[in-house]
């Protein structure tokens, strides 16, 4: 038996779920982890916050200053001597 050309799309559509023919939406991106809410004790206007996991230091007023999971306060020369660098290789104090 030969199926008519007009019936063939209907038969195929009925035999497969519609999810096979629809576009799958992209999965939602994972949310970024939030930094700690409070600064660690020891903040001072002349100190930088060194993220000890990445060895990047953050200046006072930066959104990550004192808020990363692992880190400590140091003066900028101490941070550079320890091998850390400023975010995007910037300096905090001139």
């Amino acid at each position: 038996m030969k199926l008519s050309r007009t019936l063939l799309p209907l038969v195929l559509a009925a035999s497969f779920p519609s999810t096979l023919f629809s576009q799958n939406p992209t999965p939602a991106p994972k949310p970024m982890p939030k930094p700690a809410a409070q600064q660690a004790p020891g903040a001072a206007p002349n100190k930088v916050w060194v993220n000890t996991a990445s060895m990047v230091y953050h200046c006072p007023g930066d959104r990550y200053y004192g808020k990363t999971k692992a880190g400590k306060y140091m003066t900028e020369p101490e941070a550079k001597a320890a091998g850390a660098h400023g975010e995007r290789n910037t300096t905090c104090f001139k």
Side-chain angles (χ1 to χ4, degrees):
M1 176 170 162
K2 211 173 187 187
L3 288 177
S4 159
R5 289 183 189 199
T6 58
L7 290 178
L8 186 58
L10 293 174
V11 171
L12 288 175
S15 54
F16 292 107
S18 64
T19 57
L20 290 177
F21 297 108
S22 66
Q23 292 181 353
N24 291 335
T26 58
K30 293 181 182 180
M32 294 293 292
K34 294 182 180 177
Q38 295 180 349
Q39 291 182 358
N46 63 341
K47 292 194 176 183
V48 296
W49 174 257
V50 180
N51 182 341
T52 54
S54 65
M55 294 308 288
V56 173
Y57 63 80
H58 302 279
C59 305
D62 186 282
R63 71 184 233 187
Y64 295 114
Y65 183 74
K67 296 181 182 176
T68 60
K69 287 184 180 181
K72 59 184 176 178
Y73 292 102
M74 297 182 188
T75 63
E76 194 167 9
E78 290 173 339
K80 287 182 179 183
H85 60 86
E87 187 176 19
R88 295 186 185 100
N89 292 321
T90 60
T91 58
C92 297
F93 310 107
K94 296 188 181 200

